[in-house]
Amino acid sequence: MNADARKRFFQELALNLKYEGLTVKPETEDGLLPIDFDGQHLCHVTGSGGVQYWKEDVAGDVRNGALDRVTDIAKITFEYMSQMETAPQLTASSLTGDFRMLAEFNGVVLAGHPTQLGTQFITWERAQNRTLYQGAYHGPGCGNSCYLIAKRGFAVRSGLIPRGALFTQEHLAEICRCVQETLENSDSLTDERQKRLESIAEQSRDEVSDLEAWMALFSRQEAAPEAAEFPQDGGMQFS
């Protein structure tokens, strides 16, 4: 990755890390991106998405967990930013602006649109006359989940993955809530089962965007089922 591409990767990564509550320092002369956690140095991210650290900087479960978050975020961000660097421009009737075609299958397109707030991802269906319609917009400003949700949506809409093979966001949020309630209210769990449920809860939380909004919705539904409705994405674009 050349200097310009590394700069764009670091800019995108900084937005995603800040979204997760981590502090990003300016790039060093050696081409590394320093990351702080809780006011102290944690690690460096390389221009290839790798992570460098000293053992004493990640000692303890909390700091080691923060390192794992940085590693995952850097890996995913590098994945899509590398694609953005080489992806061709998406051309279609009435489409203007910088849109990169990341994938296309069975008449469905996955595109990336760089903005000042981070990359926006869109899945469109393509008509025979090359026009795009029924766009689903994700981001910018929601961290790596924008890309992960859009990639999953593309796989389902294009038929690469059967729709019934995946849980919806609502299903995952409900699973997370049920597991959490079991953990909080059951005194008869074995240590092994508790660890399994904690792992399921953590995985569910990682997969659900706007989990707090879903929890608030469930509470409203229980209080007044006819008045509760989850707000839909208005498809707003940013530039």
Side-chain angles (χ1 to χ4, degrees):
M1 181 175 284
N2 60 39
D4 289 339
R6 184 178 69 239
K7 180 180 179 180
R8 287 188 287 270
F9 164 57
F10 281 167
Q11 288 174 338
E12 183 80 9
L13 179 60
L15 292 171
N16 290 340
L17 290 171
K18 289 176 182 177
Y19 179 80
E20 295 293 333
L22 294 145
T23 302
V24 181
K25 297 295 186 66
E27 180 181 346
T28 68
E29 294 181 358
D30 297 330
L32 301 173
L33 192 67
I35 312 300
D36 285 5
F37 174 71
D38 199 21
Q40 296 181 340
H41 176 71
L42 181 71
C43 62
H44 288 94
V45 178
T46 71
S48 59
V51 177
Q52 299 177 353
Y53 61 93
W54 295 100
K55 289 184 178 179
E56 55 267 30
D57 290 333
V58 299
D61 291 343
V62 174
R63 295 189 64 81
N64 196 261
L67 176 67
D68 289 342
R69 286 161 54 203
V70 172
T71 302
D72 289 343
I73 293 169
K75 179 181 178 181
I76 295 170
T77 304
F78 185 79
E79 175 185 319
Y80 73 74
M81 288 302 293
S82 297
Q83 294 182 65
M84 289 287 289
E85 290 294 329
T86 59
Q89 288 288 320
L90 175 62
T91 58
S93 176
S94 302
L95 182 67
T96 59
D98 185 1
F99 292 87
R100 321 279 176 86
M101 188 171 70
L102 303 179
E104 182 172 14
F105 182 76
N106 200 24
V108 177
V109 173
L110 172 62
H113 173 47
T115 81
Q116 294 180 352
L117 301 177
T119 304
Q120 182 186 51
F121 299 95
I122 313 99
T123 58
W124 276 298
E125 295 186 27
R126 195 196 288 271
Q128 291 184 351
N129 61 1
R130 311 299 288 177
T131 59
L132 302 173
Y133 66 102
Q134 293 186 350
Y137 299 82
H138 306 278
C142 56
N144 280 343
S145 62
C146 299
Y147 171 65
L148 296 175
I149 294 171
K151 185 167 67 169
R152 179 180 300 171
F154 167 77
V156 173
R157 292 184 72 179
S158 66
L160 285 169
I161 297 178
R163 187 175 299 272
L166 296 175
F167 287 115
T168 66
Q169 291 285 290
E170 182 177 4
H171 290 159
L172 287 170
E174 184 62 45
I175 290 171
C176 185
R177 181 173 72 148
C178 291
V179 171
Q180 194 62 45
E181 288 180 352
T182 301
L183 288 169
E184 293 173 354
N185 300 319
S186 178
D187 298 326
S188 60
L189 294 175
T190 63
D191 290 343
E192 182 179 359
R193 190 179 181 200
Q194 180 168 342
K195 289 180 180 179
R196 288 180 181 177
L197 291 176
E198 288 174 347
S199 177
I200 292 172
E202 181 179 358
Q203 184 177 355
S204 299
R205 285 193 295 269
D206 291 342
E207 292 293 330
V208 180
S209 61
D210 296 327
L211 181 59
E212 292 183 0
W214 279 110
M215 294 305 177
L217 171 65
F218 294 149
S219 297
R220 294 197 303 271
Q221 286 177 333
E222 292 176 353
E226 71 283 352
E229 182 178 353
F230 191 77
Q232 299 296 315
D233 183 0
M236 182 177 293
Q237 297 189 49
F238 296 83
S239 58

